[in-house]
Amino acid sequence: MRIDILTLFPEVFDFFNHSILGKAKEKNLLEINAVNIRDYSLNKHKKVDDYPYGGGAGMVMAPQPTIDAIKAVKKNNPGKVIFLGPRGKTFNQEEGKRLAKEENLIFLCGHYEGIDERIYNYIDEEISLGDFVLTGGESAAIPIIDAIVRLVPGILKNEESYKDDSFYNGLLEYPQYTRPIDYEGDKVPDVLISGHHENIRKWRRLQSLLITKERRKDLFDEVELTKEDKKLLKEHYSVHKAQCIVHSEKEDFSCDEN
């Protein structure tokens, strides 16, 4: 995959030269280029913004350097131009999976009070990181690009690494443990050290369901439960209810009835 990022601060994207994505770049599985929009300004001071017509606070990114930068990158990258701005659809895992199928992408990072409206003629789609304001599109570009490229085949050593991620299948991820087995009396669940792979799989699925139901009910309500899911939940709550009765007899009223 090739990604070009049009930005006023290319040094920010040194982030992608490290860790897993840095290794992917070394193996030529991924190409990420940070392109400085200022390099395309015809202004002798390399100015890229100006005051808005009609008045108002702040500055607006000018069309000439931004559009010329897009045109220049398009000569070698035929991908979609994605603007990181507030009008766009909020980014999520499904959007990440969709964009990970592209071979080429171009991201435009906005700044100041926004971009000249005429620049939209050269933009294919707009994506927002969320309903809040950042100082620049660079802050949004890093997590969005990171989320996309890790889904590209070959970037991660094991495809299961992202298939078990939170949100990939609509659920939050199950709990994870590593050594030691016992840390200050807090032990790893027996099932995870049993060596019984099917029981481990079922436990992890149940935990994902329970955690999502507890912490992100909105996500849980959208999940289409399988027959196995319903059985796991039914068995869990049957045991849980029995435990509640035992606790009540012992005058332990901390049991959660849910």
Side-chain angles (χ1 to χ4, degrees):
M1 172 180 272
R2 171 174 175 159
I3 294 177
D4 287 284
I5 308 167
L6 304 180
T7 173
L8 300 180
F9 302 97
E11 62 274 9
V12 169
F13 298 101
D14 180 62
F15 170 86
F16 293 119
N17 293 324
H18 305 282
S19 190
I20 293 172
L21 301 190
K23 292 177 181 178
K25 289 177 68 177
E26 291 175 0
K27 295 177 182 178
N28 295 320
L29 296 173
L30 177 66
E31 180 181 352
I32 298 181
N33 305 302
V35 179
N36 195 334
I37 297 172
R38 295 183 191 278
D39 291 342
Y40 296 89
S41 175
L42 299 180
N43 181 278
K44 65 178 181 179
H45 300 297
K46 296 300 179 182
K47 189 177 180 181
V48 296
D49 61 334
D50 213 328
Y51 295 102
Y53 278 117
M59 306 289 278
V60 176
M61 287 180 65
Q64 180 274 310
T66 307
I67 292 172
D68 282 359
I70 292 173
K71 289 179 178 179
V73 168
K74 273 284 189 179
K75 292 177 181 179
N76 297 307
N77 184 337
K80 296 178 180 177
V81 177
I82 299 173
F83 175 54
L84 302 170
R87 300 180 188 174
K89 182 178 180 180
T90 302
F91 183 80
N92 58 26
Q93 191 72 2
E94 288 303 310
E95 287 296 290
K97 288 193 281 185
R98 175 178 69 86
L99 293 172
K101 297 176 183 178
E102 301 285 339
E103 292 184 6
N104 301 279
L105 290 170
I106 300 169
F107 287 88
L108 171 61
C109 300
H111 243 277
Y112 311 118
E113 292 302 310
I115 60 174
D116 185 290
E117 191 69 18
R118 291 164 290 188
I119 298 173
Y120 276 100
N121 294 327
Y122 298 84
I123 292 170
D124 296 299
E125 59 181 280
E126 186 169 357
I127 291 177
S128 170
L129 187 60
D131 296 336
F132 49 87
V133 180
L134 298 170
T135 55
E138 290 79 12
S139 301
I142 289 176
I144 288 174
I145 293 172
D146 191 5
I148 292 169
V149 298
R150 70 190 307 276
L151 301 177
V152 175
I155 298 295
L156 298 183
K157 289 183 180 180
N158 186 350
E159 189 177 281
E160 295 302 317
S161 294
Y162 66 73
K163 287 192 173 180
D164 287 336
D165 283 344
S166 292
F167 308 114
Y168 188 84
N169 292 311
L171 296 173
L172 298 179
E173 190 176 4
Y174 49 78
Q176 297 278 15
Y177 295 86
T178 187
R179 291 180 289 185
I181 290 177
D182 187 332
Y183 181 74
E184 297 185 346
D186 194 353
K187 297 181 179 180
V188 175
D190 291 338
V191 65
L192 296 180
I193 54 178
S194 67
H196 196 300
H197 297 296
E198 180 61 10
N199 286 348
I200 292 172
R201 182 191 67 79
K202 290 181 179 179
W203 180 87
R204 284 176 168 172
R205 180 66 180 181
L206 174 61
Q207 295 304 310
S208 285
L209 290 165
L210 294 174
I211 290 172
T212 306
K213 187 173 186 294
E214 176 188 353
R215 303 186 185 183
R216 288 293 304 273
K217 187 68 163 47
D218 58 320
L219 292 177
F220 183 83
D221 290 343
E222 294 294 322
V223 174
E224 186 174 343
L225 299 177
T226 65
K227 289 182 179 179
E228 182 184 62
D229 290 339
K230 294 176 182 178
K231 182 180 178 181
L232 290 171
L233 288 168
K234 183 177 180 180
E235 290 175 350
H236 167 78
Y237 286 118
S238 294
V239 171
H240 188 69
K241 185 176 181 180
Q243 289 174 338
C244 284
I245 293 172
V246 172
H247 291 163
S248 296
E249 291 173 350
K250 295 180 180 180
E251 297 185 353
D252 179 357
F253 301 105
S254 62
C255 187
D256 182 0
E257 293 295 337
N258 294 322

